[in-house]
Structure formats: C-alpha cells, structure tokens
Amino acid sequence: MKPQLSPAPRDEDLRAYLPAIEPERTISDWGRSERLEGLLDATVVSFLYHYWFRCEVEGIEHVPSTGGALLVANHAGALPPDASMITKAIAEEHPRPRKLHLTVEHFFKGYPFFSMFVAKIGGVPAHPANVHRLLADEDQLVLVFPEGAKASAKLYKDRYRLRRFGRGGFVEAAMRAGVPIVPIAVVGAEEAMPTFAHVGLLKRLTGLIYFPITPLFPHLGLLGAAYLPAKFKLRFLPPVPTHRMGAEPWDDKGLVQAVADDIRVRIQDELVDMVGRRRSVWLG
Amino acid sequence: MSARRVLITGLSSYWGGRLAQALEQDPAVEAIVGVSPADPTCELTRTEYVRVGTQHALLKRIVQAARIDTVIDTRLIVDSGASSARTAHENNVIGTMNILAACGGPDSPVRKVVFKSSAHFYGCERDDPAYFTETMRRPHPPRTPIEQDIVEAERAVAAFGGRNPGVTVTVLRFVNGLGPDLATSHSALLSLPAVPAILGFDPRYQFIAEDDISGVLEHATRHDLPGVYNAAGDGVLALSEVVSLLGKPAAPVLPPWGTGLSASVLRRLGVKLPPEMLQQLRYGRAVDNRKLKAAGYAFRATSRETVQAFAEHLRVRSLGPAVGEGYQYEREVEEFLRYSPAVRGDDRLGLGRMTADQLAELARALNALPGRALPGPDPERARR
C-alpha cells in the first residue's frame, strides 16, 4: 500500500506549537546525533572534501539563508558520497551555514545498523509527511535525489545520464510547503565508486537494495568502501520558486510533471556542460 | 460544556483513579461515579464506586439514574503484557461496545464521551512517517492482537460518534506512559539492570508523564475537544538517549533477524517483551502532539523530563521499600466515612461545595417541610 500523501496545510497554524529546543540534548527529535556528525566530519568528511575529492563549489548563493528549501541533485556511486559533499559544501561555503536533512529510502529504516547510522547523520525516510514537516513547519533544508536507488545502482557505462525523476513527488512536496527548489549538478561521484555489475544472488541473500561489483568491492572486503580520488564539482543552480503557481498547484499532475521534467533537464544540461569542460576525471 | 456529572469507567486503573482524584477537587463537578470490576487503587473522598463490569444493561441504569452527562472511558488495555489476549479482547472490543451502548440512545443524558486510546493504533512499521498526525491511518493492517483490538475499539467509537451527533466524542491516543506509579511493560523493561534492545536499531521513543495522562483526561473532561487527539510529551528521544538518561547500559541481546525466537527465550527468563513492544524496539514511533497543544493543553513534562523523573524514581527505589503501606480499598470503611452520621468534620455534607443558589434552594426546601422553620441561608456559608 502506498504511503499517504502529506496532509494539506491546516487552517490553524500549528507551527507555534512545535516543541521547544532542549539545549542539553545532543540528539534531535529526528534522531540526528551531533556527536556522531562531528566525529565523522572531523575524521572522514573534511578529509574527503578538501583533499580527496578537492570539491569545487559554484553558485552557493542560490541556497536561501532562511526558510525551507528543497535541494534536488543527481545521484551516483554504489555508496554515494554526493550527499555528504553537498552538506559539507553548505557548511563550508555558505555565508550562513545550515544543516540539511537528506531523504532516504524506507529500506534503510528496516535494515539493522543502517537504520541507526543513517538517522544519526541526518537521514529521514522519504515519506511525504516528513518532507512537509521539515520544509513547511521547521523551515529546514531538505536534500532529495529524485532518481533514488535507480541512480546509485546504475552501471558505469550509463554515467551522467539521469534516470527518471520518480513521479514528481518532490515537486509536489515543495509546492505544498511553498518553498523554492534548488537544483544541484554534481560531477565526480560517478567516478568515485563506479559500479560495473550487480550480483543478483547476493543481493537477495543479504536483503540489500543491490550488491555491486566496484573497482575495490567485494574483493577487498571493507576496503571496498574506499573512494577513488575523482575531482568533485558542485554547481548550485538558481532556485525555482513554487509558491506562485496558482491555488493548490499540486493537484495539477500535468504541472507537477512539467516542473519535474524542467528541473531534470536543467540538471542534465548542466552536467553535460560540466563534463564537456572537464579535462581530467582526477584533476578536473 | 464542562462536565458536571461524570462516570469514569476503569476506576481501578491508574489513570481512572488519578482522574477521579483530580475531579474531586473541582466543586463544579457535582457527582463522580466510578465503575470497574476491581476495587479502586487510590484514595478517593467523594467518588462513588460501583463494582460492575461492562454489562451494558447495568451501566445504562447507572447512567440514567445518576443523570450522567460525561463518560470517561479509561478502561482500554493497551499493554498485552498486562493480561491475556482473550481478556484484553473481551475488555477492549466487547467492553467498549457495551459502554457505548449504555451511553447511546435518544433518551440518554450523556453529552460527552472521552475515550482513552493508544498510539498503538498507528502501529510501528518501516514505512511510517516520522510523526503521525491524527488524520493519518496506519499504512498496514494491525500485526498484533492488541493493535487489532485498539483499531476495532476506535472504529466502534467513531461509529458511535456518527450515530449520536449531539454527543461530543473525544479520542485520546496516548504514547507510552512513564512514571513512578505506573506499571507497564515498558517501565519493567527500563527498570532492568541493562535495557534489552535489538542489535542495529536505535528506535525513536516518546513518553508521557503520569501527571500529564491524568491532566490530558481532565482537560478533555473540562473542555469540549471533539475529534481525535494525540497525547505525547514534547520531544522525541532515541532509545540510546533514554538508556543513558537512566544511567544504564543498553544490552543489544535481540538479534535483528530471528528476533521473535530470541524474544521467546527472554520471556522464559522472565523479561516482559510483548509483541507490540518488539515492533517499537525495532522501528520506534512518534506522534505529532500539536493539535492537543493548540486545543489549550500545556504539557507539564517533556519526554526527556519524564525519563529523568523516572530515573530518579529508580534510584530512590533501590534504597528499599518505602515506609507506609499502599492504599487498600475497604468497602465498609469507605461507606462509614462517607455516609455515617457519626463522622464529624468541618463540612461533612459538602455544603461548602454548593453554590449560593443551591444553598438557597436547600433552605427553601427545608422551610417547606411541615412543622419546620429555619432561618434563611447562612450568609457565612453562602459567601464561601
């Protein structure tokens, strides 16, 4: 059964009744852990951002400083590094650094250890009601990968070719919350951990969403989680406003699809441009 | 409409008793009648206790005779560790049906029904939203017998509301209650020297303090809150956070696969692990409490404060049993205290609770008695 759509805005404004912040706590109501995030940032993420992927960021000013916004990016890599690089880019480059929540598949909530880890680094199951609460009520930044697992599962030969953008649910969520959509094009993640093939039998045995063969996995075991040092480029594109599209635009499925397609085309064009200018996968 | 003549079902339950105690303090509440098949567990001064189960013919007579305007149903069993599945079903589904039958009908004086339900209504599943709002339905059919019972009971309450448009029906979905006086499967779990958990999961938990449970019930009794309301303390804790607030280690002894099997081993060892709790230990659950806050209720404790208070209680409890025995209901003593002319007190008849109008009416009635003439209402009293 499909999860229900997010509730339409209620007549009375319930934002005033959100729980107060409890400063002694290190875990948020969403299960996000400051400590684990800080630890990861100090050890892995900073290193990857500055020295391994040498991230280059353009257009960070397109991320709004206040209010909710939905960030939409292309997705790649068997263990995708793009989410943490986008998070880090906003923390490093933005004049008013903000945390962002990342929507993840429901699968992660049901799989042991992933369920702990993903929630603690800011992952939120991609339920429309969750996205709505974050965007409309809590004024947060939310990052979605509309391609979902179709993108991280795709093979190296299909790199930088965007998959279908779901059913446009992300556009609907942004419209309901009346927040802008900020498209992001990421180059480099495809080469950091490319997938050459999938092993169907092992996927079924482990219950994972896919079981990939990458340059280092599974033959190097845990070392297979290491990334190749591809050069990363992140380009934030001008925001697409959704609050002036008429009354209840989310009911107009045609409009939703048109906006979703438009965003997909903009990211795809940007990727083609960025890959075209790139002289080396490793040096940029 | 504020309640004046109240019937509390499940008076022997913790929340039923606490609610009755709270309502006794309010002079605007004229009559409080409590029914339950077992004796009350806390001391009550003016609540009338009738030992009766959920036979609707008997209940209907009580409702009619006492002109009850508000029925508060606190009797739902929401913890399958507390009784057998059969008793729970009998109580939750058949009992609710009977109580609603006793409240309904064209000649019924009942104007308000408050039904205490549970957040188990929503279940705990992988693809749940992070916060359930009242309008959401559960994404999957109920998994455990107790959830099935709660869903059925709520369906009966909703149908009752549809048939009786003149009655205000409030459904309160409580999350796990926690407090020194509250004995649930979760308080038993958190009292263990190490808290069992499922390996690889850190579920989100909300708690409601025991004061807030009775507080919310009282709020719904005093004010008109038609519809469904979630009741939960502010804030959502991770189980690891709960455990560290309690100052205990977590023991991830339940494996992520084959959890049911190892849980049955632990049950043999005396650990209470009802099936709905296993679901919660895996996926966790949180509800959106903002509708109730918007309806004017101010929670006294957050989830975190509730757990902290419980932790303090556990530390004190380890000092040994408290001085003085718990309350024991003795029918003869209670009836003596309430009705015997030998009992002397400042205000044995409860005149102080009466309004000036009521006292005047009483005086008129006494004056009308043949051969009696009393002075007018005592001005001292009437002012009080």
Side-chain angles (χ1 to χ4, degrees):
Chain A
M1 196 167 146
K2 262 199 70 196
Q4 279 187 288
L5 289 180
S6 60
R10 304 191 212 179
D11 11 4
E12 77 270 57
D13 192 11
L14 290 177
R15 282 164 41 127
Y17 298 101
L18 283 173
I21 293 168
E22 296 173 283
E24 318 83 22
R25 290 182 62 190
T26 59
I27 297 186
S28 82
D29 283 357
W30 293 91
R32 177 177 208 152
S33 163
E34 267 173 39
R35 280 197 213 151
L36 184 69
E37 271 187 311
L39 185 74
L40 274 179
D41 184 67
T43 52
V44 185
V45 179
S46 278
F47 169 75
L48 287 178
Y49 183 85
H50 290 293
Y51 304 109
W52 199 251
F53 295 139
R54 294 143 288 137
C55 290
E56 245 174 55
V57 180
E58 289 172 65
I60 194 77
E61 69 278 4
H62 294 313
V63 178
S65 310
T66 53
L70 190 65
L71 313 183
V72 176
N74 60 312
H75 199 36
L79 201 65
D82 32 23
S84 54
M85 290 306 113
I86 292 170
T87 312
K88 183 72 176 161
I90 293 174
E92 289 280 311
E93 319 283 342
H94 200 272
R96 184 175 175 273
R98 303 175 67 185
K99 293 208 166 181
L100 56 87
H101 284 271
L102 162 72
T103 60
V104 298
E105 301 248 340
H106 286 293
F107 155 82
F108 289 106
K109 192 176 165 194
Y111 205 82
F113 300 105
F114 274 127
S115 76
M116 285 169 96
F117 183 72
V118 166
K120 286 193 195 308
I121 60 171
V124 168
H127 193 289
N130 293 353
V131 178
H132 185 78
R133 179 170 169 127
L134 283 168
L135 290 176
D137 295 345
E138 302 190 9
D139 285 339
Q140 299 279 332
L141 296 179
V142 177
L143 173 61
V144 298
F145 297 109
E147 301 163 274
K150 295 192 293 295
S152 45
K154 73 172 184 263
L155 299 181
Y156 183 63
K157 65 181 170 67
D158 296 321
R159 63 191 178 278
Y160 297 119
R161 267 187 267 145
L162 290 184
R163 308 281 100 177
R164 185 165 55 82
F165 260 23
R167 273 161 287 194
F170 72 98
V171 176
E172 221 178 295
M175 284 173 168
R176 277 176 193 273
V179 300
I181 300 175
V182 182
I184 309 172
V186 182
V187 166
E190 300 272 12
E191 288 87 2
M193 195 187 276
T195 303
F196 298 127
H198 290 284
V199 189
L201 181 68
L202 285 173
K203 172 197 157 176
R204 276 203 299 282
L205 283 179
T206 53
L208 294 166
I209 30 183
Y210 47 77
F211 193 96
I213 306 288
T214 74
L216 306 177
F217 186 82
H219 35 281
L220 292 185
L222 275 182
L223 266 182
Y227 294 112
L228 301 179
K231 169 83 177 170
F232 260 60
K233 285 190 179 159
L234 299 97
R235 193 178 280 176
F236 293 82
L237 307 180
V240 180
T242 63
H243 60 282
R244 256 177 287 164
M245 289 185 169
E248 311 206 337
W250 52 86
D251 281 338
D252 184 350
K253 298 297 167 205
L255 179 65
V256 168
Q257 280 301 335
V259 175
D261 276 344
D262 174 53
I263 289 169
R264 184 173 172 279
V265 168
R266 283 169 75 170
I267 297 177
Q268 181 70 70
D269 288 352
E270 216 61 32
L271 284 176
V272 170
D273 174 63
M274 287 160 83
V275 173
R277 286 161 189 266
R278 181 172 71 166
R279 280 197 235 132
S280 155
V281 169
W282 315 113
L283 302 172
Chain B
M1 179 206 70
S2 187
R4 296 168 66 82
R5 308 186 64 82
V6 180
L7 176 76
I8 301 175
T9 67
L11 187 69
S12 61
S13 71
Y14 170 76
W15 19 81
R18 282 290 302 272
L19 175 67
Q21 282 181 331
L23 292 179
E24 280 182 349
Q25 306 300 317
D26 183 0
V29 180
E30 289 168 13
I32 309 167
V33 182
V35 295
S36 80
D39 287 339
T41 48
C42 59
E43 199 171 338
L44 299 165
T45 54
R46 67 184 178 103
T47 302
E48 314 259 4
Y49 162 58
V50 188
R51 183 202 298 269
V52 60
T54 56
Q55 299 91 323
H56 76 265
L58 297 180
L59 285 172
K60 184 144 196 139
R61 282 170 64 193
I62 294 175
V63 167
Q64 295 282 6
R67 303 305 293 168
I68 296 295
D69 58 31
T70 301
V71 174
I72 301 146
D73 190 2
T74 67
R75 164 201 49 83
L76 203 73
I77 296 175
V78 297
D79 182 354
S80 65
S83 64
S84 72
R86 202 191 168 82
T87 325
H89 179 76
E90 199 66 25
N91 176 71
N92 291 353
V93 180
I94 312 299
T96 304
M97 219 175 66
N98 283 336
I99 284 175
L100 293 173
C103 301
D107 55 339
S108 170
V110 176
R111 286 288 142 271
K112 188 196 283 191
V113 173
V114 178
F115 185 75
K116 176 181 171 292
S117 182
S118 159
H120 282 313
F121 174 83
Y122 301 113
C124 300
E125 297 283 349
R126 197 184 73 165
D127 45 5
D128 282 346
Y131 293 89
F132 277 104
T133 59
E134 289 83 354
T135 48
M136 289 175 183
R137 278 172 306 168
R138 49 182 307 142
H140 302 279
R143 268 173 192 259
T144 61
I146 204 90
E147 286 171 45
Q148 178 71 48
D149 287 353
I150 292 169
V151 169
E152 271 186 52
E154 277 212 22
R155 202 179 293 143
V157 175
F160 172 85
R163 280 195 310 271
N164 299 276
V167 180
T168 309
V169 178
T170 307
V171 174
L172 299 165
R173 291 183 187 146
F174 286 91
V175 297
N176 302 95
L178 197 62
D181 297 327
L182 209 52
T184 64
S185 293
H186 268 96
S187 65
L189 186 86
L190 298 177
S191 306
L192 293 172
V195 179
I198 300 178
L199 184 67
F201 288 93
D202 194 6
R204 290 160 75 239
Y205 260 95
Q206 264 174 331
F207 293 101
I208 182 164
E210 49 185 30
D211 287 345
D212 274 325
I213 297 181
S214 53
V216 169
L217 287 170
E218 201 188 332
H219 187 79
T221 312
R222 287 187 199 290
H223 304 91
D224 274 357
L225 308 180
V228 184
Y229 292 82
N230 291 332
D234 272 350
V236 186
L237 309 175
L239 183 63
S240 57
E241 209 180 350
V242 174
V243 169
S244 78
L245 283 173
L246 294 173
K248 295 183 178 191
V253 289
L254 295 162
W257 294 280
T259 314
L261 201 66
S262 17
S264 59
V265 174
L266 279 184
R267 278 187 205 122
R268 288 282 162 98
L269 297 174
V271 182
K272 266 195 191 174
L273 281 171
E276 72 275 7
M277 185 201 256
L278 285 182
Q279 283 292 103
Q280 234 183 320
L281 282 175
R282 184 180 294 264
Y283 299 121
R285 182 199 316 117
V287 299
D288 190 341
N289 65 358
R290 289 180 289 169
K291 190 179 170 195
L292 188 56
K293 284 160 93 178
Y297 185 73
F299 284 92
R300 291 165 214 171
T302 64
S303 289
R304 185 172 188 270
E305 285 160 359
T306 306
V307 174
Q308 279 173 328
F310 186 68
E312 279 167 31
H313 157 73
L314 287 184
R315 282 180 216 120
V316 174
R317 197 184 64 170
S318 65
L319 297 178
V323 188
E325 281 171 45
Y327 172 75
Q328 177 77 42
Y329 180 84
E330 295 290 349
R331 177 169 284 273
E332 284 73 19
V333 177
E334 294 288 336
E335 286 184 352
F336 169 78
L337 287 174
R338 276 171 216 207
Y339 308 116
S340 167
V343 173
R344 289 279 169 261
D346 283 350
D347 189 21
R348 198 176 56 83
L349 294 173
L351 294 177
R353 289 198 301 268
M354 290 193 181
T355 61
D357 286 351
Q358 286 171 326
L359 282 169
E361 196 179 325
L362 182 65
R364 271 199 302 279
L366 288 172
N367 277 326
L369 287 176
R372 290 287 296 273
L374 284 174
D378 182 359
E380 223 17 64
R381 271 259 153 77
R383 215 175 297 124
R384 280 229 321 258

